[in-house]
C-alpha cells in the first residue's frame, strides 16, 4: 500500500471534513489563553454552528482530549494530549 502524501496547503483531504474540523477545534482551544473557551467563543472563532461545535466538543471531552469546567463553562485541553505527546517523545530518536 502506497503512503499518502501529506497535504501542505492546509486544505482537508476529501472525505475528512469532520476530522479536520475536530482538529481545528482542538488547535483553537490549545491556542486560547486560560481558562479556555466557551462554546459560543469557540463557535464564533471557527465560524461553525453552535450545534456542530457542541457535538465536536462533547466528543473531544468524552475522549479526554478536552475537559469542561462546569463552573466557568469553558473547554480546555485534556490529558489525552499529554499522553500523545509523551508517546511521541518516547518514540523519537533524540540522538539524531
Amino acid at each position: 500500500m502506497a503512503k499518502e502524501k501529506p497535504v501542505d496547503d492546509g486544505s482537508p483531504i476529501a472525505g475528512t471534513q469532520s476530522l479536520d474540523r475536530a482538529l481545528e477545534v482542538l488547535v483553537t482551544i490549545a491556542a486560547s489563553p486560560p481558562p479556555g473557551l466557551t462554546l459560543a467563543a469557540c463557535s464564533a472563532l471557527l465560524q461553525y454552528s453552535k450545534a456542530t461545535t457542541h457535538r465536536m466538543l462533547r466528543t473531544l471531552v468524552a475522549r479526554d482530549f478536552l475537559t469542561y469546567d462546569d463552573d466557568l463553562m469553558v473547554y480546555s485541553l485534556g490529558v489525552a494530549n499529554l499522553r500523545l505527546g509523551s508517546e511521541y517523545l518516547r518514540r523519537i530518536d533524540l540522538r539524531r
Side-chain angles (χ1 to χ4, degrees):
M1 183 180 218
K3 277 190 170 179
E4 196 171 308
K5 284 187 174 183
V7 176
D8 42 19
D9 66 358
S11 61
I13 296 170
T16 63
Q17 181 183 26
S18 294
L19 175 59
D20 189 64
R21 283 183 169 195
L23 290 171
E24 282 293 325
V25 168
L26 193 59
V27 168
T28 298
I29 290 176
S32 71
L37 292 177
T38 63
L39 167 61
C42 191
S43 176
L45 282 170
L46 293 167
Q47 298 180 345
Y48 300 158
S49 72
K50 282 185 182 178
T52 296
T53 305
H54 190 242
R55 284 192 304 272
M56 288 186 281
L57 290 168
R58 281 193 343 223
T59 300
L60 290 166
V61 167
R63 301 290 299 214
D64 291 330
F65 283 97
L66 294 178
T67 60
Y68 181 71
D69 184 310
D70 288 315
D71 296 329
L72 298 175
M73 298 185 345
V74 295
Y75 294 88
S76 59
L77 289 180
V79 71
N81 300 288
L82 178 60
R83 287 187 200 117
L84 283 178
S86 295
E87 187 59 28
Y88 172 77
L89 290 174
R90 189 182 72 74
R91 291 177 184 217
I92 64 171
D93 184 2
L94 294 176
R95 296 170 291 182
R96 289 196 283 170

Coordinates of all heavy atoms in Angstrom, one line a residue:
M1 N 0.8 -1.2 0.0 CA 0.0 0.0 0.0 C 0.9 1.2 0.0 O 1.8 1.4 0.8 CB -0.9 0.0 1.2 CG -1.9 1.1 1.3 SD -2.9 0.9 2.8 CE -4.4 1.4 2.2
A2 N 0.7 2.1 -0.9 CA 1.5 3.3 -1.0 C 1.1 4.3 0.1 O 0.0 4.4 0.5 CB 1.3 4.0 -2.4
K3 N 2.2 5.0 0.5 CA 1.9 6.1 1.5 C 1.3 7.3 0.9 O 1.6 7.7 -0.2 CB 3.3 6.5 2.1 CG 3.8 5.7 3.2 CD 4.9 6.3 3.9 CE 5.3 5.6 5.1 NZ 6.5 6.3 5.8
E4 N 0.3 7.8 1.6 CA -0.3 9.0 1.1 C 0.5 10.3 1.4 O 1.1 10.4 2.5 CB -1.7 9.2 1.8 CG -2.6 10.1 1.1 CD -4.0 10.0 1.7 OE1 -4.6 8.9 1.8 OE2 -4.5 11.1 2.1
K5 N 0.7 11.1 0.5 CA 1.5 12.3 0.7 C 0.7 13.3 1.6 O -0.5 13.5 1.5 CB 1.8 13.1 -0.6 CG 2.8 12.4 -1.5 CD 3.1 13.3 -2.6 CE 4.3 12.8 -3.4 NZ 4.6 13.7 -4.5
P6 N 1.4 13.9 2.6 CA 0.7 14.9 3.4 C 0.3 16.1 2.6 O 1.0 16.5 1.7 CB 1.8 15.2 4.5 CG 3.1 14.8 3.9 CD 2.8 13.7 2.9
V7 N -0.8 16.7 3.0 CA -1.3 17.9 2.4 C -0.6 19.1 3.1 O -0.6 19.2 4.3 CB -2.8 18.0 2.6 CG1 -3.3 19.3 2.0 CG2 -3.5 16.9 1.9
D8 N 0.1 19.9 2.3 CA 0.8 21.0 2.9 C 0.2 22.4 2.6 O 0.7 23.4 3.0 CB 2.3 21.0 2.6 CG 2.6 20.7 1.2 OD1 1.8 20.8 0.3 OD2 3.8 20.3 1.0
D9 N -1.0 22.4 1.9 CA -1.6 23.7 1.7 C -2.7 24.0 2.7 O -3.4 25.0 2.5 CB -2.2 23.7 0.2 CG -3.3 22.8 0.0 OD1 -3.7 22.0 0.9 OD2 -3.9 22.7 -1.1
G10 N -2.9 23.2 3.7 CA -3.8 23.4 4.7 C -5.2 23.0 4.4 O -6.1 23.0 5.2
S11 N -5.5 22.5 3.2 CA -6.8 22.1 2.8 C -7.1 20.6 3.3 O -6.1 19.8 3.2 CB -7.1 22.2 1.3 OG -6.2 21.4 0.6
P12 N -8.3 20.3 3.7 CA -8.5 18.9 4.1 C -8.6 18.0 2.9 O -8.9 18.3 1.8 CB -9.9 19.0 4.8 CG -10.6 20.2 4.2 CD -9.4 21.2 3.9
I13 N -8.2 16.7 3.2 CA -8.3 15.7 2.2 C -9.7 15.3 2.0 O -10.5 15.3 3.0 CB -7.4 14.5 2.7 CG1 -6.0 14.9 2.8 CG2 -7.6 13.3 1.7 CD1 -5.1 13.8 3.4
A14 N -10.1 15.0 0.8 CA -11.5 14.7 0.5 C -12.1 13.6 1.5 O -11.4 12.6 1.7 CB -11.6 14.2 -0.9
G15 N -13.2 13.8 2.0 CA -13.9 12.9 2.9 C -13.5 13.0 4.3 O -13.9 12.1 5.1
T16 N -12.7 14.0 4.7 CA -12.3 14.1 6.1 C -12.7 15.4 6.7 O -12.1 15.8 7.7 CB -10.7 14.0 6.1 OG1 -10.2 15.1 5.4 CG2 -10.2 12.7 5.6
Q17 N -13.7 16.0 6.3 CA -14.2 17.3 6.8 C -14.4 17.3 8.3 O -14.0 18.2 9.1 CB -15.4 17.8 6.1 CG -15.8 19.2 6.6 CD -17.1 19.7 6.0 OE1 -17.9 18.9 5.5 NE2 -17.3 21.0 5.9
S18 N -15.1 16.3 8.8 CA -15.4 16.2 10.2 C -14.1 16.1 11.1 O -14.0 16.7 12.1 CB -16.3 15.0 10.5 OG -17.5 15.1 10.0
L19 N -13.2 15.2 10.6 CA -11.9 15.1 11.3 C -11.2 16.4 11.3 O -10.6 16.9 12.3 CB -11.1 14.0 10.7 CG -9.7 13.8 11.3 CD1 -9.8 13.5 12.8 CD2 -9.0 12.7 10.5
D20 N -11.1 17.1 10.2 CA -10.4 18.3 10.0 C -11.0 19.4 10.9 O -10.3 20.1 11.6 CB -10.4 18.8 8.6 CG -9.5 20.0 8.3 OD1 -8.3 19.8 8.5 OD2 -10.0 21.1 8.0
R21 N -12.3 19.4 11.0 CA -13.0 20.4 11.9 C -12.7 20.1 13.4 O -12.5 21.0 14.1 CB -14.5 20.4 11.6 CG -14.9 21.1 10.4 CD -16.4 21.1 10.2 NE -16.8 22.0 9.2 CZ -18.0 22.5 9.0 NH1 -19.0 22.1 9.8 NH2 -18.3 23.3 8.0
A22 N -12.7 18.9 13.7 CA -12.5 18.5 15.1 C -11.0 18.9 15.5 O -10.8 19.4 16.6 CB -12.7 17.0 15.4
L23 N -10.1 18.7 14.6 CA -8.7 19.0 14.9 C -8.6 20.6 14.9 O -7.8 21.1 15.8 CB -7.8 18.4 13.8 CG -7.6 16.9 13.9 CD1 -6.9 16.4 12.7 CD2 -6.9 16.5 15.2
E24 N -9.3 21.3 14.1 CA -9.3 22.7 14.2 C -9.8 23.2 15.6 O -9.3 24.2 16.2 CB -10.2 23.4 13.1 CG -9.5 23.4 11.8 CD -8.3 24.3 11.7 OE1 -8.3 25.4 12.4 OE2 -7.3 24.0 11.0
V25 N -10.9 22.5 16.1 CA -11.4 22.9 17.4 C -10.3 22.7 18.5 O -10.0 23.5 19.3 CB -12.6 22.0 17.8 CG1 -13.0 22.1 19.2 CG2 -13.8 22.4 16.9
L26 N -9.6 21.5 18.4 CA -8.6 21.2 19.3 C -7.4 22.2 19.3 O -7.0 22.7 20.3 CB -8.0 19.8 19.0 CG -7.2 19.1 20.1 CD1 -7.9 19.0 21.4 CD2 -6.8 17.8 19.6
V27 N -7.0 22.6 18.1 CA -5.9 23.5 17.9 C -6.3 24.9 18.4 O -5.5 25.6 19.0 CB -5.4 23.6 16.4 CG1 -4.5 24.7 16.2 CG2 -4.7 22.2 16.1
T28 N -7.5 25.3 18.1 CA -8.0 26.6 18.6 C -8.1 26.7 20.1 O -7.7 27.7 20.6 CB -9.4 26.9 17.9 OG1 -9.3 26.9 16.5 CG2 -10.0 28.2 18.4
I29 N -8.6 25.7 20.7 CA -8.6 25.7 22.2 C -7.2 25.7 22.8 O -6.9 26.3 23.8 CB -9.5 24.6 22.7 CG1 -11.0 24.9 22.4 CG2 -9.3 24.3 24.2 CD1 -12.0 23.9 22.7
A30 N -6.3 24.9 22.1 CA -4.9 24.9 22.6 C -4.3 26.2 22.6 O -3.5 26.6 23.4 CB -4.1 23.8 21.8
A31 N -4.6 27.0 21.6 CA -4.0 28.3 21.4 C -4.7 29.4 22.2 O -4.2 30.5 22.3 CB -4.1 28.7 19.9
S32 N -5.8 29.1 22.8 CA -6.5 30.1 23.6 C -5.9 30.3 25.0 O -5.4 29.4 25.5 CB -8.0 29.7 23.8 OG -8.1 28.6 24.6
P33 N -6.0 31.5 25.5 CA -5.5 31.7 26.9 C -6.3 31.0 27.9 O -7.5 30.8 27.7 CB -5.5 33.3 27.0 CG -6.6 33.7 26.1 CD -6.6 32.7 25.0
P34 N -5.7 30.7 29.1 CA -6.5 30.1 30.2 C -7.6 31.1 30.5 O -7.5 32.3 30.4 CB -5.5 30.0 31.3 CG -4.2 30.0 30.6 CD -4.3 30.9 29.4
P35 N -8.8 30.6 31.0 CA -9.0 29.2 31.4 C -9.5 28.3 30.2 O -9.8 27.1 30.4 CB -10.1 29.4 32.4 CG -10.9 30.5 32.0 CD -9.9 31.5 31.4
G36 N -9.7 28.9 29.0 CA -10.2 28.1 27.9 C -11.3 28.9 27.1 O -11.3 30.1 27.3
L37 N -12.1 28.2 26.4 CA -13.1 28.8 25.6 C -14.5 28.3 25.9 O -14.7 27.1 26.1 CB -12.8 28.6 24.1 CG -11.6 29.2 23.4 CD1 -11.5 28.7 22.0 CD2 -11.7 30.7 23.5
T38 N -15.5 29.2 25.8 CA -16.9 28.8 25.9 C -17.3 28.2 24.6 O -16.6 28.4 23.6 CB -17.8 30.0 26.3 OG1 -17.7 30.9 25.2 CG2 -17.4 30.6 27.6
L39 N -18.4 27.5 24.6 CA -19.0 27.0 23.3 C -19.2 28.2 22.3 O -18.8 28.1 21.2 CB -20.3 26.3 23.6 CG -21.2 26.0 22.4 CD1 -20.5 25.1 21.4 CD2 -22.5 25.4 22.9
A40 N -19.8 29.3 22.8 CA -20.1 30.4 21.9 C -18.8 31.0 21.3 O -18.7 31.3 20.1 CB -20.8 31.5 22.7
A41 N -17.7 31.1 22.2 CA -16.5 31.7 21.7 C -15.8 30.8 20.7 O -15.3 31.2 19.6 CB -15.5 32.0 22.8
C42 N -15.8 29.5 20.9 CA -15.2 28.5 20.0 C -16.0 28.5 18.7 O -15.4 28.6 17.6 CB -15.2 27.1 20.7 SG -14.3 25.9 19.8
S43 N -17.3 28.5 18.8 CA -18.1 28.5 17.6 C -17.9 29.8 16.7 O -17.8 29.7 15.5 CB -19.6 28.4 18.0 OG -20.4 28.5 16.9
A44 N -17.8 30.9 17.4 CA -17.6 32.2 16.7 C -16.2 32.2 16.1 O -16.0 32.7 14.9 CB -17.7 33.3 17.7
L45 N -15.2 31.8 16.8 CA -13.8 31.8 16.2 C -13.7 30.9 15.0 O -13.0 31.3 14.0 CB -12.8 31.3 17.3 CG -12.4 32.3 18.4 CD1 -11.6 31.7 19.5 CD2 -11.6 33.5 17.8
L46 N -14.3 29.8 15.0 CA -14.2 28.8 13.9 C -15.2 29.0 12.8 O -15.2 28.4 11.8 CB -14.3 27.4 14.5 CG -13.1 27.0 15.3 CD1 -13.4 25.7 16.1 CD2 -11.8 26.9 14.5
Q47 N -16.2 29.8 13.2 CA -17.4 30.1 12.2 C -18.1 28.8 11.9 O -18.5 28.5 10.7 CB -16.9 30.8 11.0 CG -16.3 32.2 11.3 CD -15.9 32.9 10.1 OE1 -15.7 32.4 9.0 NE2 -15.7 34.2 10.2
Y48 N -18.3 27.9 12.9 CA -19.1 26.7 12.8 C -20.4 27.0 13.6 O -20.4 27.8 14.5 CB -18.4 25.5 13.4 CG -17.1 25.1 12.8 CD1 -16.2 24.3 13.6 CD2 -16.7 25.5 11.6 CE1 -14.9 24.0 13.1 CE2 -15.4 25.1 11.1 CZ -14.6 24.3 11.8 OH -13.4 24.0 11.3
S49 N -21.4 26.3 13.3 CA -22.7 26.4 14.0 C -22.4 26.0 15.5 O -21.5 25.1 15.7 CB -23.8 25.6 13.4 OG -23.6 24.3 13.6
K50 N -23.2 26.5 16.4 CA -23.1 26.1 17.8 C -23.4 24.6 17.9 O -22.7 23.9 18.7 CB -24.0 26.9 18.7 CG -23.4 28.2 19.0 CD -24.3 28.9 20.0 CE -23.8 30.3 20.3 NZ -24.7 31.1 21.2
A51 N -24.3 24.1 17.1 CA -24.7 22.6 17.2 C -23.5 21.8 16.8 O -23.2 20.8 17.5 CB -25.9 22.4 16.4
T52 N -22.9 22.1 15.7 CA -21.7 21.3 15.2 C -20.6 21.4 16.1 O -20.0 20.4 16.5 CB -21.3 21.9 13.8 OG1 -22.4 21.7 12.9 CG2 -20.0 21.2 13.3
T53 N -20.3 22.6 16.6 CA -19.2 22.8 17.6 C -19.5 22.0 18.8 O -18.5 21.4 19.4 CB -19.0 24.3 17.9 OG1 -18.9 25.0 16.7 CG2 -17.8 24.6 18.8
H54 N -20.7 22.1 19.3 CA -21.0 21.4 20.6 C -20.8 19.9 20.4 O -20.3 19.2 21.3 CB -22.4 21.7 21.0 CG -22.8 21.2 22.4 ND1 -23.7 20.3 22.6 CD2 -22.2 21.5 23.6 CE1 -23.8 20.0 23.9 NE2 -22.9 20.8 24.5
R55 N -21.2 19.3 19.3 CA -21.0 17.9 19.1 C -19.5 17.5 19.1 O -19.1 16.5 19.7 CB -21.7 17.4 17.8 CG -23.2 17.3 17.8 CD -23.7 16.6 16.6 NE -23.3 17.2 15.3 CZ -24.0 18.2 14.7 NH1 -25.1 18.7 15.2 NH2 -23.5 18.7 13.5
M56 N -18.7 18.3 18.4 CA -17.3 18.0 18.4 C -16.7 18.2 19.8 O -15.9 17.4 20.2 CB -16.6 18.9 17.4 CG -16.9 18.6 16.0 SD -16.0 19.5 14.8 CE -16.9 21.0 14.8
L57 N -17.1 19.2 20.5 CA -16.6 19.5 21.9 C -16.9 18.3 22.8 O -16.1 17.8 23.5 CB -17.1 20.8 22.4 CG -16.6 22.1 21.8 CD1 -17.4 23.2 22.3 CD2 -15.1 22.3 22.1
R58 N -18.2 17.8 22.7 CA -18.6 16.7 23.6 C -17.8 15.5 23.3 O -17.4 14.7 24.2 CB -20.1 16.4 23.4 CG -21.0 17.4 24.1 CD -22.4 16.9 24.1 NE -22.7 15.9 23.2 CZ -23.8 15.8 22.4 NH1 -24.7 16.8 22.5 NH2 -24.1 14.9 21.6
T59 N -17.5 15.2 22.0 CA -16.8 14.0 21.6 C -15.3 14.1 22.1 O -14.8 13.2 22.6 CB -16.8 13.9 20.0 OG1 -18.1 13.7 19.6 CG2 -15.9 12.7 19.6
L60 N -14.7 15.3 22.0 CA -13.4 15.5 22.4 C -13.3 15.4 23.9 O -12.3 14.9 24.5 CB -12.8 16.8 21.9 CG -12.6 16.9 20.4 CD1 -12.4 18.3 19.9 CD2 -11.4 16.0 20.0
V61 N -14.3 15.8 24.6 CA -14.3 15.7 26.1 C -14.5 14.2 26.5 O -13.7 13.7 27.3 CB -15.5 16.5 26.7 CG1 -15.7 16.1 28.2 CG2 -15.2 18.0 26.6
A62 N -15.3 13.5 25.8 CA -15.5 12.0 26.0 C -14.2 11.2 25.8 O -14.0 10.2 26.5 CB -16.6 11.5 25.1
R63 N -13.4 11.7 24.9 CA -12.1 11.0 24.6 C -10.9 11.6 25.4 O -9.8 11.2 25.2 CB -11.8 11.1 23.1 CG -12.9 10.5 22.2 CD -12.9 9.0 22.3 NE -11.7 8.5 21.9 CZ -11.5 7.3 21.3 NH1 -12.5 6.6 21.0 NH2 -10.3 6.9 21.0
D64 N -11.2 12.5 26.3 CA -10.2 13.1 27.2 C -9.2 14.1 26.5 O -8.2 14.4 27.0 CB -9.4 12.1 28.0 CG -10.3 11.4 29.0 OD1 -11.2 12.1 29.6 OD2 -10.0 10.3 29.4
F65 N -9.6 14.5 25.2 CA -8.7 15.5 24.6 C -9.1 16.9 25.1 O -8.3 17.8 24.9 CB -8.9 15.4 23.0 CG -8.2 14.2 22.5 CD1 -8.8 13.0 22.2 CD2 -6.8 14.3 22.2 CE1 -8.1 12.0 21.7 CE2 -6.1 13.2 21.7 CZ -6.8 12.1 21.4
L66 N -10.3 17.1 25.6 CA -10.7 18.3 26.2 C -11.3 18.0 27.6 O -11.8 16.9 27.8 CB -11.7 19.1 25.3 CG -11.3 19.6 24.0 CD1 -12.4 20.2 23.3 CD2 -10.1 20.5 24.1
T67 N -11.3 19.1 28.4 CA -12.0 19.0 29.7 C -13.1 20.1 29.6 O -12.9 21.1 28.9 CB -11.1 19.1 30.9 OG1 -10.5 20.4 30.8 CG2 -10.1 18.0 31.0
Y68 N -14.1 20.0 30.4 CA -15.1 21.0 30.5 C -15.2 21.4 32.0 O -15.4 20.6 32.9 CB -16.5 20.5 30.0 CG -17.6 21.6 30.1 CD1 -17.5 22.7 29.2 CD2 -18.6 21.5 31.0 CE1 -18.5 23.6 29.3 CE2 -19.6 22.4 31.1 CZ -19.5 23.5 30.3 OH -20.5 24.5 30.3
D69 N -15.2 22.7 32.3 CA -15.3 23.2 33.6 C -16.7 23.7 33.8 O -17.1 24.7 33.1 CB -14.3 24.4 33.8 CG -14.3 24.9 35.2 OD1 -15.4 25.2 35.7 OD2 -13.3 25.1 35.8
D70 N -17.5 23.0 34.6 CA -18.9 23.3 34.8 C -19.1 24.7 35.4 O -20.1 25.4 35.1 CB -19.6 22.3 35.7 CG -19.8 21.0 35.0 OD1 -20.2 20.9 33.9 OD2 -19.5 19.9 35.7
D71 N -18.2 25.1 36.3 CA -18.4 26.4 36.9 C -18.1 27.6 35.9 O -18.9 28.6 35.9 CB -17.4 26.6 38.1 CG -17.8 25.6 39.2 OD1 -19.0 25.2 39.4 OD2 -16.9 25.1 39.9
L72 N -17.0 27.5 35.2 CA -16.7 28.6 34.2 C -17.3 28.4 32.9 O -17.3 29.3 32.1 CB -15.2 28.6 34.1 CG -14.4 28.9 35.3 CD1 -12.9 28.8 35.1 CD2 -14.7 30.3 35.9
M73 N -17.8 27.2 32.6 CA -18.5 26.8 31.3 C -17.5 27.0 30.2 O -17.8 27.6 29.1 CB -19.7 27.6 31.1 CG -20.8 27.3 32.1 SD -22.4 28.1 32.0 CE -22.3 29.3 30.8
V74 N -16.2 26.5 30.4 CA -15.2 26.6 29.3 C -14.6 25.3 29.1 O -14.6 24.4 29.9 CB -14.1 27.6 29.7 CG1 -14.6 29.0 29.8 CG2 -13.4 27.2 31.0
Y75 N -14.1 25.1 27.9 CA -13.4 23.9 27.4 C -11.9 24.2 27.4 O -11.5 25.3 27.0 CB -13.8 23.5 26.0 CG -15.3 23.1 26.0 CD1 -16.3 24.0 25.8 CD2 -15.6 21.7 26.2 CE1 -17.6 23.6 25.8 CE2 -16.9 21.3 26.1 CZ -17.9 22.3 26.0 OH -19.2 21.9 25.9
S76 N -11.1 23.3 27.9 CA -9.6 23.4 27.8 C -9.0 22.1 27.5 O -9.7 21.0 27.4 CB -9.1 24.0 29.1 OG -9.4 23.1 30.2
L77 N -7.7 22.1 27.3 CA -7.0 20.8 26.9 C -7.2 19.7 27.9 O -7.1 20.0 29.1 CB -5.6 21.1 26.6 CG -5.2 21.8 25.4 CD1 -3.7 22.0 25.2 CD2 -5.8 21.2 24.1
G78 N -7.3 18.5 27.5 CA -7.4 17.4 28.4 C -6.1 16.5 28.4 O -5.2 16.7 27.6
V79 N -6.1 15.5 29.2 CA -5.0 14.7 29.5 C -4.6 13.8 28.3 O -3.4 13.4 28.2 CB -5.2 13.8 30.7 CG1 -6.2 12.7 30.5 CG2 -3.9 13.3 31.2
A80 N -5.5 13.5 27.4 CA -5.1 12.7 26.2 C -4.0 13.3 25.4 O -3.2 12.6 24.8 CB -6.3 12.4 25.4
N81 N -4.0 14.7 25.4 CA -2.9 15.4 24.6 C -1.6 15.1 25.2 O -0.6 14.9 24.5 CB -3.2 16.9 24.6 CG -4.6 17.1 23.9 OD1 -4.7 17.0 22.7 ND2 -5.6 17.5 24.7
L82 N -1.5 15.1 26.5 CA -0.3 14.8 27.2 C 0.2 13.4 26.9 O 1.4 13.1 26.7 CB -0.4 15.0 28.7 CG 0.8 14.7 29.6 CD1 2.0 15.6 29.2 CD2 0.5 14.9 31.0
R83 N -0.8 12.4 26.9 CA -0.4 11.0 26.6 C 0.2 10.9 25.2 O 1.2 10.2 25.0 CB -1.7 10.2 26.7 CG -2.1 9.9 28.2 CD -3.2 8.9 28.2 NE -3.9 9.0 29.5 CZ -5.2 9.3 29.6 NH1 -5.9 9.6 28.6 NH2 -5.7 9.4 30.8
L84 N -0.5 11.6 24.2 CA 0.1 11.5 22.9 C 1.4 12.2 22.8 O 2.3 11.6 22.1 CB -0.9 12.3 21.9 CG -2.2 11.5 21.5 CD1 -3.0 12.4 20.6 CD2 -1.9 10.2 20.8
G85 N 1.6 13.3 23.4 CA 2.9 14.0 23.4 C 4.0 13.2 24.0 O 5.1 13.1 23.5
S86 N 3.7 12.5 25.2 CA 4.6 11.7 25.9 C 5.0 10.5 25.0 O 6.2 10.1 24.9 CB 4.1 11.2 27.2 OG 3.9 12.3 28.1
E87 N 4.0 9.9 24.4 CA 4.3 8.7 23.5 C 5.2 9.2 22.3 O 6.1 8.5 21.9 CB 3.0 8.1 23.0 CG 3.2 6.8 22.3 CD 3.9 5.7 23.0 OE1 3.8 5.7 24.3 OE2 4.6 4.9 22.4
Y88 N 4.9 10.3 21.8 CA 5.7 10.8 20.6 C 7.1 11.0 21.1 O 8.1 10.6 20.4 CB 5.1 12.2 20.1 CG 6.0 12.8 19.1 CD1 6.1 12.4 17.8 CD2 6.8 13.9 19.5 CE1 6.9 13.0 16.9 CE2 7.7 14.5 18.6 CZ 7.7 14.0 17.3 OH 8.6 14.6 16.4
L89 N 7.3 11.6 22.2 CA 8.7 11.8 22.7 C 9.4 10.5 23.0 O 10.6 10.4 22.8 CB 8.7 12.7 24.0 CG 8.3 14.2 23.8 CD1 8.2 14.9 25.2 CD2 9.3 14.9 22.9
R90 N 8.7 9.5 23.5 CA 9.3 8.2 23.7 C 9.7 7.6 22.5 O 10.7 6.9 22.5 CB 8.2 7.3 24.4 CG 8.8 6.0 25.0 CD 7.7 5.2 25.6 NE 6.8 4.6 24.6 CZ 7.1 3.5 23.8 NH1 8.3 3.0 23.8 NH2 6.2 3.1 23.0
R91 N 9.1 7.8 21.4 CA 9.4 7.1 20.1 C 10.4 7.8 19.2 O 11.0 7.1 18.4 CB 8.1 6.9 19.3 CG 7.1 6.0 19.9 CD 5.9 5.9 19.1 NE 4.9 5.0 19.8 CZ 4.1 4.2 19.2 NH1 4.1 4.2 17.8 NH2 3.2 3.5 19.8
I92 N 10.6 9.1 19.4 CA 11.5 9.7 18.5 C 13.0 9.5 19.0 O 13.2 9.3 20.2 CB 11.3 11.3 18.4 CG1 11.4 12.0 19.7 CG2 9.9 11.5 17.8 CD1 11.4 13.5 19.6
D93 N 13.9 9.5 18.0 CA 15.3 9.4 18.4 C 15.9 10.7 18.6 O 16.2 11.4 17.6 CB 16.0 8.6 17.2 CG 17.4 8.3 17.5 OD1 17.9 8.6 18.6 OD2 18.1 7.7 16.6
L94 N 16.1 11.1 19.8 CA 16.7 12.4 20.1 C 18.2 12.5 19.8 O 18.7 13.6 19.9 CB 16.4 12.7 21.6 CG 15.0 12.9 22.0 CD1 14.8 13.1 23.5 CD2 14.4 14.1 21.2
R95 N 18.8 11.4 19.5 CA 20.2 11.4 19.2 C 20.5 11.9 17.8 O 21.7 12.1 17.5 CB 20.8 10.0 19.4 CG 20.7 9.5 20.9 CD 21.1 8.1 21.0 NE 20.0 7.3 20.3 CZ 19.9 6.0 20.2 NH1 20.9 5.3 20.7 NH2 18.9 5.4 19.7
R96 N 19.5 11.9 17.0 CA 19.8 12.4 15.6 C 20.1 13.8 15.5 O 19.9 14.7 16.1 CB 18.5 12.1 14.7 CG 18.3 10.6 14.5 CD 17.4 10.4 13.4 NE 16.0 10.6 13.8 CZ 15.0 10.6 13.1 NH1 15.1 10.5 11.8 NH2 13.8 10.8 13.5

